[in-house]
Amino acid sequence: MILSVFAASGMLSALAVSPSWEPVKAERAQSARLVLHNQDLEVRTERGSIIISTQRPIQVKVFSILGQLVSQENLGAGTSRLELGVHGVYIVKIGNTTCKVAL
């Protein structure tokens, strides 16, 4: 337990620079894993990144497993990617929808 807390704190310091979302082409990579899919929202992960596709503007918050806010942004319709580059488990809150992703 203590070791995992130290490992997680190392992860948090690696995220000291706040990552930002970038728009990407809607093409799906073969290696992307589907995490959540509903009528107008899709969440996928791929090589250290979280990818969100939406048909409407949304607010997205990404938290570390310890509850630290990693990213908060309003995304427009389309597909956006957040490159974290740090392996771990994150909580993604999109409007009223929440899911857990593992990178």
Side-chain angles (χ1 to χ4, degrees), residues 68-80:
Q68 180 183 21
L69 183 64
V70 173
S71 173
Q72 177 178 334
E73 196 161 331
N74 292 319
L75 302 180
T79 302
S80 299

Side-chain angles (χ1 to χ4, degrees), residues 36-42 53-56 97:
L36 172 74
H37 178 77
N38 65 28
Q39 191 174 27
D40 60 349
L41 177 67
E42 185 175 276
S53 299
T54 180
Q55 297 177 4
R56 60 182 172 78
T97 303

Side-chain angles (χ1 to χ4, degrees), residues 22 24 27-35 44-51 81-88 90 101-103:
E22 61 181 352
V24 294
E27 300 171 7
R28 293 184 188 178
Q30 295 294 334
S31 61
R33 292 181 318 221
L34 184 64
V35 175
R44 294 174 280 136
T45 61
E46 177 187 37
R47 292 176 281 166
S49 300
I50 300 170
I51 303 165
R81 173 192 317 261
L82 178 67
E83 277 196 50
L84 295 171
V86 178
H87 294 287
Y90 298 89
V101 299
L103 301 180

